[in-house]
Amino acid sequence: MSSKYIVRQPIKDQANKIIGYEIQYHGENQAFGDNGKNVRENDFAAADTIYNFLTMNTDKLLRGSLNFMTFTTTLLMKKTPRLFYKDELVIQIDDSVIIHPLAMHIVQQYVKEGYKVAVNEFQFAPRYLALLDSIDYIKLSLGSMSMTTLKNIVDIAHSMDKQCIAMGIDNEELYQKAIKLGVDAME
């Protein structure tokens, strides 16, 4: 029997102050897929689970803090971000949403309504650079890029008033790397 659950992971600034929480769904092969097999079916199942949980719990558990949550195209189409107040949600998107024309149109509508947007695993690629005007946060995995590339991303982001969040900081070495890069927050 598989378990499904939603967790809140703190996101802290360099002074160790919590700036928000990442809402993560776990279960049935870790969220939205199982290496290509039944991905679409799992996406819909995960979206239904997340939507139902949020419908029942947003007023109780997720108020009064900034919540970062990754949205699939299905969750965006279900209008799931509207379960949150605009000032309490950061809509996180990844490559699957960025390359989906309908999903990006929906994201642009949320931006016009005042929601904030974060991009997971930002890259120097045209599809990401085209989004810079619409995003507020850039999330980086420090283990997947060179220090030079990471420093360039952080410097460019800061020059454009974007905040950078280092993901997966779970040891002293990564923590020191994040501090050296000058990221705004870590999770």
Side-chain angles (χ1 to χ4, degrees):
M1 181 171 166
S2 71
S3 12
K4 301 173 196 172
Y5 49 96
I6 294 178
V7 297
R8 291 181 355 151
Q9 178 177 344
I11 300 172
K12 297 180 177 184
D13 65 13
Q14 289 194 14
N16 209 26
K17 178 182 176 257
I18 294 175
I19 65 161
Y21 296 92
E22 176 153 3
I23 309 301
Q24 297 176 334
Y25 169 78
H26 292 274
E28 299 202 359
N29 301 311
Q30 291 306 102
F32 303 110
D34 54 359
N35 298 328
K37 184 176 144 194
N38 298 322
V39 171
R40 185 179 174 117
E41 186 177 306
N42 284 344
D43 179 28
F44 286 116
D48 280 341
T49 300
I50 292 167
Y51 186 83
N52 291 336
F53 173 84
L54 292 174
T55 301
M56 293 184 290
N57 294 293
T58 301
D59 284 337
K60 300 174 202 163
L61 302 174
L62 303 174
R63 291 286 184 236
S65 64
L66 186 59
N67 297 288
F68 290 72
M69 185 174 164
T70 300
F71 286 85
T72 62
T73 300
T74 303
L75 285 170
L76 291 168
M77 285 198 251
K78 284 179 156 279
K79 299 183 183 337
T80 308
R82 291 203 176 106
L83 295 174
F84 294 85
Y85 296 131
K86 293 173 206 172
D87 61 342
E88 292 183 350
L89 177 67
V90 175
I91 298 170
Q92 292 183 163
I93 57 174
D94 59 20
D95 222 26
S96 67
V97 170
I98 292 169
I99 63 172
H100 193 289
L102 178 58
M104 281 312 300
H105 175 72
I106 295 169
V107 169
Q108 292 300 331
Q109 289 303 115
Y110 286 119
V111 168
K112 287 178 187 171
E113 292 173 21
Y115 286 90
K116 303 265 187 227
V117 175
V119 174
N120 289 330
E121 302 287 338
F122 183 86
Q123 303 168 22
F124 278 124
R127 65 183 175 270
Y128 287 88
L129 297 174
L131 296 173
L132 282 174
D133 288 342
S134 301
I135 61 175
D136 303 282
Y137 298 90
I138 293 174
K139 297 188 77 183
L140 301 166
S141 178
L142 302 189
S144 65
M145 291 183 240
S146 73
M147 191 68 166
T148 303
T149 300
L150 289 165
K151 185 67 175 150
N152 287 339
I153 291 172
V154 170
D155 290 346
I156 290 169
H158 285 159
S159 74
M160 299 180 76
D161 294 323
K162 312 294 181 200
Q163 291 192 26
C164 293
I165 299 173
M167 304 184 310
I169 305 303
D170 59 3
N171 63 48
E172 184 65 24
E173 180 184 344
L174 289 173
Y175 176 77
Q176 291 303 325
K177 191 174 183 179
I179 296 293
K180 186 176 180 181
L181 284 169
V183 298
D184 301 287
M186 296 164 256
E187 66 177 62

